[in-house]
């Protein structure tokens, strides 16, 4: 019997102007016929010995209201447009109904040319796994459906649809709390030293445990956590400003993310196998990727693993130049946290990947963070900057000011370091008090620097550093953001004393 992958449903969006792949399974030797009669498309194939089949539809222009038949099954209101995968963790998963601006969006979203398919977030192959995929569908926009879409992806897709004049499809493939190690196979983690610590953590946590024990432990955790969450939510309903310490005192221990094991969604490679692989090699325009918060404990290995993950996804989607638009993490720290530089290092890793991996972009959102809230509710600028990067890199709208200032190089003149920025040809401006720059001499001790703007440069001095050598800008987990381009996008943080990114980064112990 011929079946088609669950991602193909009514209202699906197929990638325009590319050979869109359609795929599924069946009995070896069975014949498969795929047609879009309105476009006079008719292709056929037979199921291969391994039980899989696929066909490639010829490139098509944008359009809606089409039908697609696969043998005796018919899909309605199919569209050709732009298809973007929204990958990452909780800030990509963050729903539109919980974001600022939802009241306005629910009144107008049904008029937008945006559709969404959410990959089910069940990452354990239990009895419900296939049921959830069988019920998954592409959704048209309305206030009921859009409420649960990724806010970041929604705002990016909304802008692209309006600017390009075509339907934009979002494929949500994200999971809150996920590490980059969740989104690549074990073989990639084994092949790179940067991945070994994640695998070793899993081995230690599951040593001598049977599958049955791991399942029972996780089920017990889910029961506890469900009751704990209900208590926590009641506390916040009574007082939304209740301190976390008081929540713990009243509700009990927060045991998230639960015990590691075969049922934990956070096990290495789990989301790769049970989410991402279910939709490959669906034809895409590109990937929006917002992740990194849950790798702050190993920031020195993040650039390597992100590079490996991009390569793996490009392999699996069968597109060596598949665009990746990264979101650089914003400012964040919990109140009272000591400065660890961990988020600074993740931001640096993301910028390094952008600078070293072809066909990538980066949305700098340094100013979009909130002290004490790892899930900022203002997602509109994030979506806008992702859309700008997509328009600039993918749709070749090079006239756009898609970047804020990016560090280019620095020179030393006596007691002054002069920092030159790219993407600042029109100049730069301060928002608020000029802060964030620090310089050091040969001793490596950093002191706040006095900045003076001059075109696309900043001149830095400090009375404590007569012979400066290196400079840092906003090298903190959380702090004020003051330097911007005239397009309203902040300058990206940087340091000039960083070592080159190794091919295989050593992991922290």
């Amino acid at each position: 019997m011929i079946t088609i992958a669950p991602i193909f449903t009514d209202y699906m969006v197929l990638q325009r102007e590319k050979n869109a792949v359609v795929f599924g399974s069946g009995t070896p030797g069975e014949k498969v016929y795929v047609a879009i009669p309105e476009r006079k498309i008719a292709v056929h194939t037979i199921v291969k010995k391994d039980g899989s089949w696929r066909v490639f539809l010829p490139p098509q222009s944008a359009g809606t209201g089409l039908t697609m038949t696969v043998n005796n099954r018919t899909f309605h209101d199919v569209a050709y447009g732009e298809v973007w995968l929204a990958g990452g963790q909780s800030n990509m998963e963050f729903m539109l109904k919980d974001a600022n601006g939802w009241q306005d969006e629910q009144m107008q979203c049904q008029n937008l040319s945006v559709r969404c398919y959410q990959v089910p977030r069940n990452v354990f192959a239990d009895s419900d796994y296939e049921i959830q995929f069988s019920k998954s569908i592409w959704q048209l926009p309305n206030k009921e459906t859009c409420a649960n879409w990724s806010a970041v992806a929604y705002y990016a897709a909304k802008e692209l649809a309006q600017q390009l004049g075509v339907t934009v499809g979002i494929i949500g493939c994200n999971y809150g709390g996920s590490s980059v190690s969740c989104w690549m196979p074990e073989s990639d983690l084994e092949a790179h030293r940067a991945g070994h610590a994640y695998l070793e953590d899993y081995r230690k946590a599951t040593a001598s445990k049977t599958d049955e024990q791991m399942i029972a432990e996780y089920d017990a955790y889910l029961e506890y956590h469900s009751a704990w969450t209900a208590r926590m939510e009641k506390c916040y309903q009574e007082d939304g400003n209740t301190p976390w310490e008081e929540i713990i005192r009243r509700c009990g221990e927060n045991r998230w993310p639960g015990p590691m094991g075969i049922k934990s969604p956070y096990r290495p490679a789990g989301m790769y196998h049970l989410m991402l692989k279910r939709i490959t090699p669906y034809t895409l325009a590109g990937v929006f990727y917002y992740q990194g918060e849950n790798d702050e404990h190993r920031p020195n290995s993040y650039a390597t693993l992100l590079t490996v993950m991009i390569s793996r996804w490009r392999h699996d989607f069968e597109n060596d130049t598949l665009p990746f638009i990264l979101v650089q993490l914003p400012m964040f720290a919990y109140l009272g946290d000591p400065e660890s530089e961990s988020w600074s290092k993740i931001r640096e890793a993301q910028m390094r990947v952008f600078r070293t991996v072809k066909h990538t972009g980066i949305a700098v959102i340094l100013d979009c963070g909130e002290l004490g809230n790892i899930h900022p509710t203002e997602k509109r600028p994030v979506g806008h900057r992702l859309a700008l990067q997509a328009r600039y890199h993918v749709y070749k709208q090079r006239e756009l000011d898609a970047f804020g200032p990016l560090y280019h190089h620095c020179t030393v003149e006596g007691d002054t370091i002069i920092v030159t920025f790219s993407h600042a040809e029109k100049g730069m401006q301060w928002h608020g008090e000029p802060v964030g720059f620090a310089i050091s001499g040969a001793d490596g001790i950093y002191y706040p620097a006095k900045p003076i703007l001059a075109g696309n440069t900043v001149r830095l001095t400090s009375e404590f550093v007569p012979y400066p050598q290196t400079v840092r800008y906003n090298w903190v987990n959380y702090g004020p953001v003051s330097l911007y381009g005239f397009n309203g996008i902040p300058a990206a943080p940087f340091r000039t004393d960083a070592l080159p990114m190794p091919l295989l980064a050593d992991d922290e112990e």
Side-chain angles (χ1 to χ4, degrees):
M1 178 179 175
I2 296 298
T3 61
I4 191 169
I7 194 172
F8 296 94
T9 75
D10 292 342
Y11 316 126
M12 73 180 90
V13 183
L14 300 174
Q15 179 59 43
R16 64 169 176 162
E17 298 173 358
K18 291 185 179 181
N19 290 114
V21 63
V22 182
F23 52 95
S25 60
T27 304
E30 275 190 286
K31 295 180 180 180
V32 185
Y33 299 91
V34 180
I36 300 180
E38 296 88 350
R39 295 295 177 93
K40 296 181 171 57
I41 296 173
V43 294
H44 61 87
T45 188
I46 61 171
V47 180
K48 296 189 292 186
K49 291 182 179 180
D50 65 1
S52 68
W53 63 266
R54 67 168 62 180
V55 298
F56 290 93
L57 307 180
Q60 297 291 303
S61 59
T64 58
L66 307 173
T67 56
M68 183 171 79
T69 61
V70 180
N71 286 16
N72 295 323
R73 187 173 178 184
T74 300
F75 301 99
H76 300 280
D77 197 3
V78 175
Y80 270 99
E82 294 296 306
V83 183
W84 283 84
L85 188 149
Q89 57 179 107
S90 53
N91 275 301
M92 182 60 85
E93 180 182 338
F94 194 91
M95 295 180 184
L96 187 59
K97 66 182 179 181
D98 299 320
N100 293 352
W102 167 235
Q103 295 301 319
D104 294 332
E105 293 303 326
Q106 65 179 316
M107 302 303 294
Q108 60 177 303
C109 61
Q110 65 184 17
N111 299 318
L112 299 178
S113 296
V114 178
R115 305 180 183 189
C116 181
Y117 175 85
Q118 176 59 51
V119 179
R121 295 189 179 96
N122 184 350
V123 291
F124 180 64
D126 56 13
S127 57
D128 291 333
Y129 178 75
E130 291 297 342
I131 294 175
Q132 290 185 21
F133 268 96
S134 68
K135 293 181 178 180
S136 62
I137 58 171
W138 280 88
Q139 294 179 330
L140 297 175
N142 58 57
K143 64 181 181 180
E144 285 77 28
T145 57
C146 288
N148 298 313
W149 294 3
S150 160
V152 167
Y154 170 87
Y155 283 118
K158 173 184 175 180
E159 181 170 333
L160 290 181
Q162 292 172 337
Q163 293 295 325
L164 301 175
V166 302
T167 300
V168 176
I170 304 165
I171 298 176
C173 191
N174 42 65
Y175 202 113
S178 59
S179 158
V180 67
S181 65
C182 299
W183 296 106
M184 62 181 72
E186 297 90 342
S187 58
D188 285 349
L189 296 169
E190 289 280 11
H192 298 272
R193 192 186 316 142
H196 292 179
Y198 291 92
L199 294 174
E200 185 60 25
D201 285 350
Y202 183 78
R203 294 186 187 111
K204 289 180 179 178
T206 59
S208 74
K209 292 182 181 180
T210 65
D211 290 356
E212 291 75 15
Q213 287 175 317
M214 287 186 277
I215 292 171
E217 285 180 356
Y218 200 78
D219 286 346
Y221 156 73
L222 290 177
E223 183 177 356
Y224 172 89
H225 191 67
S226 177
W228 184 91
T229 300
R231 296 193 296 271
M232 178 267 293
E233 290 177 346
K234 183 178 179 181
C235 287
Y236 279 129
Q237 287 171 0
E238 295 171 355
D239 181 1
N241 296 315
T242 304
W244 183 250
E245 295 78 8
E246 178 64 13
I247 293 292
I248 298 301
R249 189 190 70 80
R250 293 168 59 180
C251 301
E253 178 188 6
N254 176 20
R255 298 177 184 174
W256 186 90
M260 186 56 72
I262 63 170
K263 200 170 184 180
S264 169
Y266 304 109
R267 64 193 185 277
M271 296 166 195
Y272 170 79
H273 290 299
L274 294 181
M275 291 182 68
L276 187 79
K277 288 296 290 182
R278 292 303 299 267
I279 60 172
T280 59
Y282 201 90
T283 307
L284 305 175
V287 175
F288 296 133
Y289 191 74
Y290 189 167
Q291 191 273 327
E293 300 94 326
N294 272 72
D295 292 290
E296 65 168 331
H297 62 304
R298 292 194 176 104
N300 293 344
S301 61
Y302 187 74
T304 297
L305 290 181
L306 182 56
T307 300
V308 172
M309 191 209 78
I310 290 172
S311 178
R312 170 57 58 184
W313 285 27
R314 286 174 172 172
H315 173 273
D316 290 353
F317 282 103
E318 300 178 3
N319 183 350
D320 290 340
T321 61
L322 180 66
F324 267 74
I325 311 297
L326 308 173
V327 177
Q328 189 184 49
L329 295 189
M331 288 291 194
F332 170 74
Y334 286 113
L335 188 64
D337 276 359
E339 179 58 60
S340 67
E341 300 184 352
S342 58
W343 279 53
S344 294
K345 291 179 179 179
I346 291 290
R347 295 184 201 113
E348 179 181 61
Q350 292 165 327
M351 184 59 70
R352 283 181 169 182
V353 171
F354 162 66
R355 291 186 183 275
T356 59
V357 179
K358 291 182 178 180
H359 309 293
T360 59
I362 191 163
V364 175
I365 63 163
L366 197 64
D367 56 335
C368 296
E370 295 180 17
L371 180 64
N373 182 11
I374 201 169
H375 302 124
T377 55
E378 184 53 80
K379 300 301 187 186
R380 286 171 289 194
V382 185
H384 170 59
R385 293 172 195 175
L386 280 171
L388 280 179
Q389 287 287 302
R391 292 169 62 192
Y392 181 89
H393 291 289
V394 180
Y395 303 109
K396 308 305 180 184
Q397 298 178 4
R398 295 302 172 87
E399 74 282 0
L400 293 175
D401 286 332
F403 290 89
L406 299 182
Y407 170 78
H408 190 271
H409 69 274
C410 67
T411 56
V412 178
E413 292 182 1
D415 65 350
T416 303
I417 283 188
I418 303 171
V419 180
T420 301
F421 291 85
S422 60
H423 300 285
E425 293 76 11
K426 297 179 181 179
M428 300 178 289
Q429 60 183 330
W430 300 115
H431 287 194
E433 181 183 357
V435 294
F437 283 98
I439 60 177
S440 76
D443 59 5
I445 300 175
Y446 279 87
Y447 295 90
K450 177 183 177 181
I452 298 177
L453 284 184
N456 67 333
T457 68
V458 179
R459 300 177 65 89
L460 302 168
T461 57
S462 170
E463 61 178 309
F464 303 108
V465 188
Y467 304 104
Q469 293 188 4
T470 58
V471 56
R472 292 178 172 183
Y473 173 65
N474 268 342
W475 193 256
V476 292
N477 287 351
Y478 184 85
V481 179
S482 59
L483 183 60
Y484 284 75
F486 280 103
N487 59 359
I489 300 178
F494 67 90
R495 59 175 174 170
T496 65
D497 55 333
L499 296 174
M501 184 178 72
L503 183 62
L504 294 175
D506 288 328
D507 294 316
E508 299 88 338
E509 296 298 331

